[in-house]
Amino acid sequence: MATTLTIATAYAASKTGHHRAQSHAERTSSPVPSSMKAQVRPSVARTGMTATKAESLSVVARPYRSSTITVGASMIANAIPGTNPMKVLGALPGVMFQSNDPQGLDNWSAQLMMHGFQQQEVGMTLDGIPLGEMSYRNYNGLNPLQAISSENVGRMDVSRSAGAETVAATNNLGGSIEYISLDPKDKLGGKIVQTFGSNDLYHTFLRFDSGKLTPSGTKFFVSYMRNDTGMWKGYGEQFIQQVNAKFIQPLGERSKISAFFNWSDLHQNTYDDYSFEMLDKLGYNQNYYQNGRISGYQTAINAAKGIYTPRIATLSDPLDAAYYSGGTNNTDYLGGLTADLALTDRLRWTSTIYGHNQQNQTTWVSPYWPSPNGSPLSDIVKQPEILRFGILSSLRYNIAHNDFGVGVWYENNHYYSPMYSYSEPNLVDGVLSGSLVNDLGHFSHPFAKIFSQTYNTNTFTTFFQDTYHPARNIDIHFGFKSLLNTTRVGNGYLNPDYYGSTEPITSGVGQTIVKPFLPHIGLAWRFLPGHELFADISENVHTYAQSGYKLSTSPFAVLQSAYDASVKTLRPQTAWTYAVGYHYTDHMIAATLYAYRTNFENRLQQVTSGSLINPVSSVANVGGVTMNGVDAGLTIRPISGLEFYNSISYDHATYDQNLTSLGVTYALKGQQVVNYPRFMYKTRLSYNWSGATIWIDATRMGSRNFSYVGDSKAPAYWLANLGVDYRFDHIGQKIHDLNFVQNLVLSLTVSNLANARYISTMGENGNPLSNATGAYSYQSFLLGAPRQFFGSIKAEF
């Protein structure tokens, strides 16, 4: 079988199991000082993609991060209700978001990359609470989608460099995304959102705000969200429901205690992974065999016995082209308690304690591992669980021309990663011997454990920073972060009957990463009204990943012999980023220019060889990546209500070395990194008149390397969307019976307006080395959804 090399993508692990190559509370820096307020006004602190209302997107000239872009709640509200906020970030220069559904909710498919870095290399937090790596099977956090309903997101602060030292993350090589939740409102009220759409989409959001309950200002909100939709091809559904609550108790005029709670419950059928061979021979609509009838299960039984449908039989790997079904189930509980205390006029202390539990099930019906009852199929279920708690604490002190900050973060994370096999019923003469396993249901009584490991990780970081203001229009920043991260792995088990070997998995070992000095230096100069120049230099580190056996670039998720062979050469991944930028804003024009160079070192990759049914994997240090790029954005507002935005991104992100595997050298050096385009163009035209808004946007996505040597590519494509909404601002004055309604908005959205056919997510099962190693038949991309229609009604009370 051909040798394959895979890199850990954001969802790095294959949900299809063993047969494929598997691949702080508030900001800890001081707020904008009075010396800057004359230059940075809310009306002008914008980039080249600013909406004319409510500051939907802005460059925030905070003294410690002038390269930060802020995406506000109004920009999120312009999307289809329930849309993953990271899909909204896809409108930013240099950011790519891909998904096979129009809301970006498919947990297996959601893919975010920023300046060539994959999403597990971008730090993410919610109100300062770390969300860990955004991956399909997160081992130290949760997907932001499952942490907060999009309607409750107040803003997202996006750092385009290597991420600020204040961010509680151990993976922010390529920047950071900080989610800030909306506060409860001061007045009693609520909000209702109801959306209907293609494929029987129903989205409901309900929120109740208590208003101020006491003279001191005690208030809270609680919300419920439910999003349920059918699949645009094949059989199944994608469902998520969520409860959020936030409580605030002011203490005097400048201090407060707040609490946030999230419960989310996600159940999604997944789409079939595609190859170029499948696209050529099967077309656009191939999916799993499951169809809600016995006939679908019979087709899967036949395929497991080598009897294929005529079209599937034409493929070089017909058994892997489709399975009976696959699914994802996640239940998360996340909570945090924050004290934000003004100790003096100059000194503020902010501390947060938090906890998180996730129970996860990712499933696929395997034709390789029969059930004891005689069925050639069984349901393979990975069932990892996360239990973590932590504390963040920081002090901010302002004196003379300096804004000082110092803080700590500690987290303990217990991660248990097993995989089990459950019996599927046999089918004889069209009669089932029992009930089919529900991929979106509850699993109990497995007939075999296939593998397991237990990880325990302790993370401790500290930071120090100072922003010095020698003049009203100049900010000089220096800070650094220190990191200590220790992971121990034990209780390793591999089922010899399943893997055909008695060699043990890595167990009883550990790794410690110590980085005492990770610097961050910045300079901002507002030399004329509306003009700003800035520069930024930073270094960061990515600690070792954790996962199930062969499911990522974790150095622990391999055989003990592979770990022993690689342990002496293991080094954590690091990145230096150097950036310069320019912003200009007035009432008619907003422009931004951002140029960067990143040196990404000690790149860890999962090198896989042998049979696709049971590949042999190891993790190796294969060198570095050099990234040179530029983002440019321009917004023109020639007349009141009309806005025209354009941005261009160019990213020359190439591998520094060739790769030699099994004696064969592959010409990776100089090739663009996989899955991320060298060129992106984004545009949006909107017009607002008398409560009505109409907009159209379009994206030109450049071609992307599917294989590492670049001989297999996903072609470039255009994607456009159209929307219309009408706001009844004073409906109570016109219809007396509705005088309790503050705002009523009706909207219609069409996604993929031209009904384009395109490749969306890539690399979810890793990437092949070249056409010579089977790139044509390698199933590791997903297809974008066709044209879809959505209608919504929103009302506030």
Side-chain angles (χ1 to χ4, degrees):
M1 188 64 65
T3 299
T4 319
L5 176 142
T6 58
I7 189 169
T9 58
Y11 11 68
S14 169
K15 67 180 181 293
T16 53
H18 68 289
H19 65 289
R20 294 184 185 159
Q22 307 254 330
S23 42
H24 274 106
E26 293 193 341
R27 298 182 173 277
T28 50
S29 292
S30 58
V32 176
S34 59
S35 63
M36 292 179 59
K37 291 181 181 177
Q39 287 80 23
V40 185
R41 300 183 298 275
S43 62
V44 298
R46 295 173 176 170
T47 65
M49 189 186 164
T50 318
T52 56
K53 54 184 180 180
E55 273 194 284
S56 62
L57 177 66
S58 63
V59 165
V60 179
R62 294 186 175 92
Y64 54 95
R65 248 188 298 174
S66 287
S67 60
T68 295
I69 294 179
T70 289
V71 175
S74 62
M75 186 171 174
I76 299 171
N78 286 337
I80 302 164
T83 291
N84 188 336
M86 281 189 293
K87 184 178 176 68
V88 178
L89 294 181
L92 302 183
V95 178
M96 181 193 76
F97 182 86
Q98 298 284 358
S99 181
N100 60 8
D101 71 291
Q103 291 177 290
L105 301 183
D106 189 314
N107 211 2
W108 173 242
S109 175
Q111 179 183 44
L112 180 122
M113 296 184 72
M114 189 157 61
H115 292 153
F117 281 101
Q118 302 160 101
Q119 59 204 21
Q120 79 271 18
E121 295 155 352
V122 176
M124 300 187 189
T125 63
L126 170 61
D127 292 343
I129 297 172
L131 300 180
E133 295 194 8
M134 202 206 92
S135 57
Y136 180 57
R137 297 180 190 89
N138 198 319
Y139 66 88
N140 64 351
L142 70 165
N143 190 315
L145 170 71
Q146 296 155 232
I148 185 171
S149 299
S150 61
E151 287 92 346
N152 290 328
V153 176
R155 70 175 194 268
M156 294 179 287
D157 293 339
V158 183
S159 171
R160 294 172 289 180
S161 294
E165 63 273 18
T166 59
V167 175
T170 60
N171 65 319
N172 50 332
L173 296 177
S176 59
I177 302 172
E178 299 172 75
Y179 287 73
I180 309 299
S181 64
L182 287 169
D183 281 346
K185 293 184 178 181
D186 290 339
K187 293 184 178 181
L188 176 68
K191 183 176 183 178
I192 296 176
V193 179
Q194 184 62 60
T195 301
F196 305 93
S198 299
N199 306 304
D200 297 323
L201 168 74
Y202 296 91
H203 173 84
T204 302
F205 176 80
L206 307 171
R207 170 167 158 157
F208 170 75
D209 283 88
S210 68
K212 291 185 177 181
L213 299 173
T214 65
S216 65
T218 306
K219 57 184 178 178
F220 71 88
F221 80 73
V222 62
S223 69
Y224 173 76
M225 183 276 293
R226 176 188 175 103
N227 200 97
D228 194 3
T229 181
M231 303 178 76
W232 61 266
K233 65 174 180 176
Y235 175 88
E237 67 171 332
Q238 297 193 314
F239 170 87
I240 181 173
Q241 60 180 341
Q242 194 166 39
V243 172
N244 290 162
K246 189 172 184 178
F247 169 86
I248 292 180
Q249 174 59 62
L251 302 174
E253 294 184 358
R254 295 183 297 134
S255 300
K256 65 180 179 179
I257 294 175
S258 60
F260 179 83
F261 171 78
N262 168 77
W263 168 77
S264 66
D265 182 40
L266 179 147
H267 303 275
Q268 295 178 340
N269 288 109
T270 53
Y271 291 90
D272 196 8
D273 300 303
Y274 252 70
S275 68
F276 286 103
E277 182 185 28
M278 291 172 63
L279 192 57
D280 289 342
K281 295 181 179 180
L282 304 182
Y284 206 73
N285 293 309
Q286 168 64 31
N287 206 35
Y288 292 124
Y289 293 128
Q290 186 180 26
N291 60 7
R293 302 183 297 273
I294 295 296
S295 60
Y297 191 65
Q298 181 70 69
T299 304
I301 291 279
N302 292 342
K305 296 178 179 179
I307 306 169
Y308 305 107
T309 61
R311 296 173 68 218
I312 295 290
T314 65
L315 300 174
S316 57
D317 184 12
L319 188 58
D320 286 325
Y323 308 115
Y324 176 66
S325 63
T328 303
N329 305 287
N330 274 337
T331 301
D332 285 276
Y333 297 88
L334 175 70
L337 178 66
T338 298
D340 183 16
L341 308 175
L343 302 182
T344 71
D345 289 343
R346 298 182 179 273
L347 181 63
R348 178 170 290 273
W349 179 31
T350 304
S351 293
T352 298
I353 57 173
Y354 65 89
H356 170 227
N357 174 246
Q358 179 182 92
Q359 298 180 14
N360 176 274
Q361 296 171 337
T362 57
T363 79
W364 70 289
V365 177
S366 169
Y368 294 104
W369 184 246
S371 296
N373 58 19
S375 172
L377 305 176
S378 66
D379 215 313
I380 306 298
V381 184
K382 300 175 185 69
Q383 297 182 234
E385 181 175 5
I386 298 168
L387 183 62
R388 64 188 180 111
F389 68 89
I391 182 169
L392 306 102
S393 187
S394 64
L395 289 168
R396 300 184 309 224
Y397 184 61
N398 303 331
I399 186 171
H401 297 284
N402 294 274
D403 302 317
F404 293 102
V406 62
V408 298
W409 167 44
Y410 169 75
E411 179 180 280
N412 175 263
N413 178 39
H414 180 82
Y415 175 64
Y416 176 52
S417 179
M419 184 166 79
Y420 297 96
S421 187
Y422 295 83
S423 293
E424 287 283 7
N426 205 358
L427 183 64
V428 179
D429 297 328
V431 179
L432 289 172
S433 62
S435 299
L436 291 172
V437 175
N438 180 6
D439 285 303
L440 307 188
H442 177 71
F443 292 85
S444 60
H445 307 299
F447 71 82
K449 177 187 279 189
I450 297 175
F451 72 68
S452 68
Q453 279 181 312
T454 301
Y455 296 82
N456 191 272
T457 301
N458 288 285
T459 300
F460 181 76
T461 70
T462 63
F463 76 85
F464 169 82
Q465 62 178 197
D466 175 34
T467 302
Y468 175 57
H469 314 287
R472 291 174 58 87
N473 62 334
I474 297 176
D475 308 313
I476 302 173
H477 176 83
F478 172 75
F480 70 90
K481 178 169 72 174
S482 300
L483 177 143
L484 173 64
N485 176 273
T486 300
T487 294
R488 297 287 300 178
V489 58
N491 300 322
Y493 170 76
L494 289 182
N495 188 321
D497 294 331
Y498 188 86
Y499 292 105
S501 171
T502 58
E503 189 173 357
I505 192 175
T506 302
S507 188
V509 300
Q511 288 285 331
T512 297
I513 296 175
V514 180
K515 287 289 183 179
F517 187 72
L518 297 167
H520 178 204
I521 302 169
L523 171 68
W525 177 34
R526 293 164 298 283
F527 55 95
L528 288 172
H531 296 264
E532 181 188 42
L533 286 172
F534 68 89
D536 197 81
I537 303 172
S538 54
E539 182 190 20
N540 230 309
V541 66
H542 186 189
T543 57
Y544 297 126
Q546 301 158 37
S547 72
Y549 183 46
K550 305 179 184 178
L551 297 182
S552 76
T553 57
S554 170
F556 309 108
V558 295
L559 294 175
Q560 185 72 53
S561 59
Y563 174 83
D564 293 340
S566 65
V567 65
K568 292 183 179 180
T569 61
L570 286 176
R571 299 290 185 275
Q573 300 176 113
T574 59
W576 277 95
T577 297
Y578 313 87
V580 294
Y582 167 75
H583 305 306
Y584 172 72
T585 306
D586 65 19
H587 68 285
M588 292 183 62
I589 296 175
T592 180
L593 185 67
Y594 178 81
Y596 59 92
R597 176 185 175 89
T598 297
N599 294 323
F600 178 15
E601 303 294 340
N602 298 317
R603 186 169 47 93
L604 296 182
Q605 287 186 195
Q606 185 183 60
V607 180
T608 305
S609 61
S611 169
L612 288 176
I613 297 174
N614 189 8
V616 178
S617 298
S618 63
V619 174
N621 184 336
V622 293
V625 175
T626 298
M627 304 174 183
N628 295 293
V630 62
D631 300 333
L634 177 66
T635 297
I636 302 174
R637 296 180 286 273
I639 61 174
S640 176
L642 180 64
E643 183 168 286
F644 185 38
Y645 162 75
N646 293 271
S647 76
I648 295 176
S649 301
Y650 176 81
D651 179 81
H652 189 270
T654 59
Y655 299 110
D656 293 341
Q657 292 89 15
N658 294 329
L659 177 72
T660 299
S661 179
L662 297 182
V664 179
T665 298
Y666 296 91
L668 271 68
K669 185 176 181 179
Q671 287 293 332
Q672 180 78 4
V673 297
V674 293
N675 306 326
Y676 187 76
R678 186 160 287 181
F679 173 82
M680 288 186 289
Y681 169 70
K682 301 169 185 179
T683 184
R684 178 184 172 97
L685 179 67
S686 65
Y687 183 64
N688 188 334
W689 178 75
S690 187
T693 301
I694 182 168
W695 57 266
I696 184 169
D697 65 32
T699 297
R700 171 67 173 182
M701 189 67 58
S703 63
R704 293 165 286 162
N705 279 351
F706 181 61
S707 65
Y708 280 93
V709 302
D711 58 1
S712 181
K713 298 177 182 289
Y717 66 86
W718 280 96
L719 191 66
N721 307 285
L722 175 70
V724 180
D725 65 69
Y726 189 81
R727 178 181 297 272
F728 300 87
D729 287 324
H730 306 289
I731 190 171
Q733 298 177 6
K734 301 174 183 178
I735 305 176
H736 182 70
D737 290 340
L738 296 179
N739 58 7
F740 61 95
V741 179
Q742 295 179 357
N743 294 299
L744 180 65
V745 180
L746 304 179
S747 63
L748 173 67
T749 305
V750 184
S751 66
N752 192 357
L753 182 64
N755 202 28
R757 294 193 168 190
Y758 66 99
I759 293 173
S760 59
T761 311
M762 286 173 54
E764 71 275 12
N765 291 313
N767 295 79
L769 275 168
S770 66
N771 280 329
T773 61
Y776 182 64
S777 60
Y778 193 75
Q779 290 175 238
S780 194
F781 62 77
L782 296 160
L783 303 179
R787 184 188 298 120
Q788 309 270 278
F789 298 88
F790 305 89
S792 302
I793 181 170
K794 309 173 189 178
E796 295 184 53
F797 305 96

